[in-house]
Amino acid sequence: MSVTDENLAELFEQYKDEVRETIGTLDNELVAIEQDPTSSETIFSLFRHMHSLKGSSKMFNVDNIAHIAHRLEDLMSLIDKNNAILSKHPRIVDLLFKGNDIFRDIIARLEDDITYSHLTPDHTAFIGEIQAQIDKINRRDSELVDAARKILDDLETLVPTLEENEADNLKKAMAELSAGLTLATLAEEGSHQIRFHYNGVDLTDDVRALEELLEKFKAGQGKPEEARALTEVVGNLYNSLADVATEDAQQLIAELGDGLHMFKERELEIDQITVEFFTAVLHDLKEKFQVEVLAPAGGQVRQKSSKSAPDFKEPQTKTIRVDEAKIDQFLDSVGKLITKSENLNHLQFSFRQAGLNSNLMRDFVTVSRTISNDIVNLQRSIMEVRQVEVNNILKKFPRLVRDISHKIGKEAELNISGERVPIDKSLLDDVEQAMVHIVRNALDHGLETPDERLAAGKNRRGTVNIAVTQEEASIYIEVADDGRGLNLEKVKSKAVERGAISPEQAAAMSDTEAEMLIFRSGLSTKDEATDLSGRGVGMDVVMTNLKKWNGEVIIKNHSGQGLAVGLRLPVTNTLLTKEAILLRVGDSIFCLPLEYVSEIVTVPSEAIHHHKDNSVFRHRDMVIAVVNIKEILGLGRSDYGRPAGDSRAFIILQGKNESRQAIMADEILGQQKIVIKEFELETFRKLPYFNGLTLLGDGRVVLILDSEKLMTC
């Protein structure tokens, strides 16, 4: 490959990255435009992105994206000139979503087949759909409908000035005209959105069935059994109308009855005259019906962001592409430098013990501190290279929530906060996968249907909140909904039914233990599995991914009010450095991260009280339990009993919910910075009270204690 070819290959990679970024932006903008179809800013942004996609794709001869983006650009151009078009043609948004999915599919295929840049028959058919929509917008009858609606608005202002009998007649005519206009604008956009009523009787099913059958017979595709079905549908429609008919529709209903009688006399032999007759009568009848337009299934999916300014623009930064393996190698080298820095600290202590010249000692300490600070700054900089904003995950969820809620007929409002929190790039895929399963469960299991929510005194639209916060060395992601919450009795019953626990275990189980059952593989509270949930796999994936990254899950259940699932994960899993306490227990040396240490105290032996195998002491009006670390780690038995006046050192650990426990150390050896390394062998990963190892300045390998697991003993 020539230099020029290599440059083109690199540019093509950049092009694909830009298209992926644009696809994600388009998803969010389409969700926003579905919520507010008149937003000029969003409409123009959609138009601009289509224009950019077209131009960049033409440059790299990706013809399929270029042609589709071009036609969508034409469509957005019409909408940009008249914002009201989206409200009158709701199918346009679905068309734009479909186009974005096609872009996503093309880019994915280009990864494996660089020649996949031509228009396929499916792409050509989609371009035809776009053109049909453009033609529909440009049709003269659309302008006539607009003019008719304008007349209706003007007439509305005249009604109060008319005599009562004149006003009644005008209102009746206006209602018929309004119904006809609704049918004209929505019939081709999706008949599922229209319901027909007449004097309180719902005729929707019969009208739709009759329309479908008439279309088949018009096309010459009607079968004998469908002719019988047509008879039944017309009969049902006639009987329903005859019972409630008012004077204005009696003539039409009589014609329908006559046509049905004539049809039966022909012994179900249908000809085009009969088809045209029923079509005409149905058309006239529909103008007498009351027309109700339903919102699309799923309603609106709203996204509220923590970004304060609506016109915020991302800062423009220059980027370069670097192989992730090279960054990992560099981080490994930095880790070795940190260890060497601790070697210098160890030498410093040895030199002081040996009585080194004070001037030389001062110079050595200065150089050692400078090197240590530079290494810390180098580590911080390179760690930032590996980090990305968690918004790389979050920006995909408005589209996900929109699609799922539409699919299952629910309404959802999505609120997102904490998009700017940094996270290590290596965690992204697993965190995203876990969050997808949690959000799916919130929508499918958690949120009730609109009717159920109204019956429970809630807003018909459910809420899903995703909040990300940064803690000292971890990030906390919480997905909360205001749905029905967990029915713990049902969860335990399902667990017993699946053989996950025994009835005795279920009876003795605490609420916290029952909540954690939802993460068991194969356990689901749904009676029937769907393509979204019900197989008991999703939440098991969440727990698997969390264990992989040494994370934890927190459940907050409020029965009838909602469920919150929290994920706590390390900010990074690469070159994790911490300040730690070095302690000796018996003949063994261990490290304990400083972040879990509340304080270190010296306790006289007479202040330690014993009860059976437990020991406690009082400190600052708190009773502190002592964790028998020697016995737990199999290092022998701790001897707390010492002569009066003797003292022992205890490290008090900070637990959750302000709880306190302490471990006894035979000796506190000091504090130093450590580089946490994961266990490479699976055998070591099974060690219950350790979460890694580190290398000390003098070359010794030391295990790192897991204080949280020690406190649960």
Side-chain angles (χ1 to χ4, degrees):
M1 180 181 287
S2 67
V3 175
T4 304
D5 290 335
E6 291 176 358
N7 290 338
L8 282 175
E10 185 174 347
L11 287 172
F12 189 62
E13 290 300 317
Q14 292 178 10
Y15 157 77
K16 289 189 290 185
D17 288 341
E18 289 172 3
V19 173
R20 291 188 191 97
E21 185 176 343
T22 299
I23 288 169
T25 303
L26 285 172
D27 271 341
N28 290 340
E29 289 182 341
L30 289 172
V31 171
I33 205 66
E34 197 168 40
Q35 175 187 344
D36 181 10
T38 62
S39 172
S40 299
E41 184 179 349
T42 309
I43 288 172
F44 178 73
S45 182
L46 285 166
F47 171 72
R48 181 170 51 82
H49 282 113
M50 291 302 173
H51 181 76
S52 298
L53 269 178
K54 179 190 72 173
S56 59
S57 299
K58 279 186 175 180
M59 185 184 301
F60 288 97
N61 296 321
V62 184
D63 293 336
N64 40 23
I65 292 182
H67 280 86
I68 294 171
H70 187 188
R71 299 310 291 147
L72 288 174
E73 180 191 8
D74 292 341
L75 179 60
M76 291 309 304
S77 177
L78 292 175
I79 297 168
D80 189 40
K81 294 174 184 175
N82 181 1
N83 291 7
I85 287 175
L86 271 177
S87 299
K88 293 185 292 184
H89 299 274
R91 184 173 174 270
I92 290 175
V93 177
D94 290 330
L95 205 62
L96 292 168
F97 270 119
K98 184 176 179 180
N100 209 33
D101 288 338
I102 291 174
F103 295 150
R104 184 179 284 110
D105 176 67
I106 291 171
I107 287 297
R109 290 180 181 236
L110 282 173
E111 289 294 325
D112 300 322
D113 182 8
I114 200 171
T115 65
Y116 187 76
S117 57
H118 57 280
L119 283 169
T120 67
D122 288 341
H123 297 160
T124 304
F126 179 64
I127 290 173
E129 290 182 53
I130 301 170
Q131 186 59 51
Q133 187 65 62
I134 292 172
D135 293 342
K136 187 184 299 181
I137 294 171
N138 288 329
R139 277 208 310 254
R140 175 68 179 166
D141 59 0
S142 180
E143 296 177 12
L144 292 175
V145 167
D146 290 344
R149 289 199 180 280
K150 177 67 168 57
I151 293 173
L152 280 175
D153 292 339
D154 293 340
L155 288 174
E156 189 74 30
T157 62
L158 293 175
V159 170
T161 67
L162 301 176
E163 297 291 335
E164 185 175 347
N165 62 328
E166 294 175 332
D168 288 342
N169 291 332
L170 182 58
K171 285 180 180 177
K172 189 174 181 181
M174 289 168 62
E176 291 181 4
L177 178 58
S178 179
L181 294 176
T182 302
L183 293 174
T185 55
L186 284 177
E188 295 184 20
E189 298 297 342
S191 59
H192 63 281
Q193 292 180 243
I194 307 171
R195 298 199 71 82
F196 302 97
H197 301 268
Y198 186 78
N199 286 350
V201 179
D202 189 343
L203 306 168
T204 308
D205 292 341
D206 286 334
V207 170
R208 289 181 185 166
L210 183 54
E211 285 178 329
E212 290 177 6
L213 289 168
L214 289 173
E215 285 297 323
K216 282 191 176 182
F217 284 109
K218 278 182 186 178
Q221 299 173 348
K223 300 176 182 177
E225 60 268 22
E226 288 172 325
R228 296 187 187 92
L230 191 147
T231 307
E232 293 176 5
V233 171
V234 173
N236 291 339
L237 191 60
Y238 174 78
N239 292 332
S240 298
L241 289 170
D243 292 338
V244 294
T246 55
E247 186 177 348
D248 67 311
Q250 285 179 353
Q251 181 62 37
L252 281 173
I253 296 171
E255 287 184 23
L256 183 67
D258 292 341
L260 178 62
H261 181 68
M262 177 185 68
F263 178 61
K264 288 182 176 179
E265 284 185 347
R266 290 172 177 266
E267 298 180 352
L268 305 181
E269 292 180 5
I270 297 179
D271 55 23
Q272 288 301 312
I273 295 176
T274 308
V275 172
E276 291 298 333
F277 171 79
F278 281 127
T279 301
V281 173
L282 180 61
H283 178 271
D284 292 339
L285 279 172
K286 283 163 66 175
E287 293 187 357
K288 302 293 183 183
F289 297 160
Q290 291 88 43
V291 179
E292 177 188 6
V293 182
L294 301 179
Q300 293 178 335
V301 179
R302 297 183 179 178
Q303 177 192 5
K304 294 182 182 177
S305 172
S306 62
K307 297 175 183 176
S308 56
D311 57 347
F312 174 81
K313 293 183 179 179
E314 296 286 343
Q316 297 296 314
T317 57
K318 294 183 178 180
T319 61
I320 58 172
R321 297 173 63 88
V322 180
D323 190 339
E324 195 171 337
K326 293 181 180 178
I327 296 178
D328 291 339
Q329 291 174 2
F330 190 42
L331 281 170
D332 187 55
S333 299
V334 173
K336 292 176 181 177
L337 284 175
I338 293 173
T339 302
K340 296 300 179 184
S341 176
E342 291 302 324
N343 283 344
L344 290 177
N345 292 334
H346 183 74
L347 286 173
Q348 178 183 322
F349 176 77
S350 299
F351 290 161
R352 185 176 284 113
Q353 292 290 99
L356 189 68
N357 180 281
S358 59
N359 291 331
L360 288 175
M361 189 66 195
R362 184 177 60 251
D363 292 342
F364 182 84
V365 169
T366 300
V367 172
S368 176
R369 287 177 179 171
T370 301
I371 292 174
S372 179
N373 290 335
D374 288 344
I375 291 173
V376 169
N377 291 333
L378 178 62
Q379 178 206 5
R380 186 179 296 115
S381 298
I382 196 63
M383 289 305 299
E384 289 176 357
V385 171
R386 283 193 60 89
Q387 290 178 344
V388 295
E389 291 181 357
V390 74
N391 192 45
N392 282 271
I393 298 172
L394 300 181
K395 65 184 180 182
K396 302 175 183 179
F397 282 90
R399 172 72 190 274
L400 177 73
V401 172
R402 182 259 182 196
D403 288 350
I404 292 177
S405 58
H406 276 231
K407 184 172 185 177
I408 61 180
K410 295 183 180 180
E411 298 182 14
E413 179 176 315
L414 175 65
N415 302 318
I416 295 177
S417 62
E419 303 97 320
R420 294 299 187 84
V421 173
I423 184 173
D424 194 298
K425 191 175 183 295
S426 62
L427 299 173
L428 280 181
D429 289 343
D430 287 333
V431 172
E432 179 183 350
Q433 189 180 27
M435 287 184 64
V436 165
H437 287 295
I438 296 172
V439 170
R440 277 180 177 172
N441 269 34
L443 293 168
D444 200 20
H445 288 274
L447 295 187
E448 309 93 334
T449 64
D451 290 342
E452 289 171 339
R453 291 182 65 83
L454 290 173
K458 299 181 180 181
N459 189 307
R460 65 179 288 113
R461 180 182 295 113
T463 301
V464 177
N465 297 316
I466 300 177
V468 186
T469 53
Q470 185 166 8
E471 300 174 349
E472 183 176 352
S474 60
I475 63 171
Y476 183 69
I477 304 173
E478 184 177 81
V479 179
D481 66 72
D482 66 345
R484 54 176 63 92
L486 285 176
N487 183 333
L488 296 183
E489 291 304 316
K490 185 174 182 180
V491 170
K492 289 191 284 187
S493 174
K494 285 289 184 180
V496 172
E497 181 184 317
R498 300 290 171 88
I501 58 173
S502 66
E504 294 74 22
Q505 288 175 313
M509 190 170 278
S510 67
D511 286 352
T512 301
E513 292 171 327
E515 289 165 358
M516 298 306 291
L517 286 173
I518 64 174
F519 296 99
R520 293 282 187 97
S521 178
L523 180 64
S524 174
T525 55
K526 262 202 165 183
D527 296 322
E528 292 184 9
T530 67
D531 55 350
L532 282 177
S533 61
R535 294 176 176 83
V537 176
M539 299 305 277
D540 177 49
V541 171
V542 173
M543 186 59 73
T544 300
N545 288 353
L546 280 175
K547 288 180 179 178
K548 179 179 177 181
W549 299 111
N550 294 319
E552 64 172 324
V553 64
I554 298 93
I555 296 285
K556 300 173 187 174
N557 180 46
H558 306 284
S559 183
Q561 299 300 316
L563 176 71
V565 180
L567 310 177
R568 181 170 283 112
L569 295 140
V571 173
T572 179
N573 208 51
T574 308
L575 193 62
L576 191 58
T577 61
K578 292 184 178 181
E579 291 291 332
I581 298 293
L582 204 61
L583 64 145
R584 180 177 63 81
V585 179
D587 296 328
S588 301
I589 308 297
F590 300 104
C591 277
L592 181 65
L594 192 61
E595 62 190 274
Y596 302 115
V597 176
S598 175
E599 59 184 309
I600 299 174
V601 297
T602 302
V603 181
S605 59
E606 56 267 25
I608 302 173
H609 305 284
H610 310 283
H611 178 67
K612 295 183 179 180
D613 292 331
N614 301 317
S615 299
V616 297
F617 62 85
R618 181 173 292 277
H619 177 67
R620 295 180 181 173
D621 296 326
M622 291 187 298
V623 176
I624 309 295
V626 177
V627 179
N628 194 335
I629 191 170
K630 276 192 176 180
E631 286 192 1
I632 290 172
L633 300 180
L635 302 175
R637 184 175 177 81
S638 293
D639 181 15
Y640 298 127
R642 283 196 171 194
D646 199 359
S647 300
R648 302 298 300 266
F650 288 91
I651 301 174
I652 300 177
L653 305 176
Q654 171 74 55
K656 297 177 182 176
N657 303 320
E658 299 301 316
S659 61
R660 297 285 193 279
Q661 284 182 280
I663 60 174
M664 186 189 72
D666 291 319
E667 186 179 2
I668 306 297
L669 301 177
Q671 176 182 332
Q672 74 170 58
K673 185 184 294 293
I674 62 171
V675 178
I676 299 177
K677 294 183 177 293
E678 280 192 329
F679 295 119
E680 294 184 3
L681 297 177
E682 186 64 30
T683 304
F684 288 108
R685 291 179 184 173
K686 295 178 181 178
L687 292 175
Y689 303 108
F690 304 100
N691 59 10
L693 53 86
T694 190
L695 190 66
L696 299 183
D698 58 5
R700 286 180 293 174
V701 176
V702 173
L703 293 171
I704 301 168
L705 293 171
D706 187 332
S707 65
E708 292 186 4
K709 291 179 181 176
L710 286 173
M711 291 186 71
T712 58
C713 295

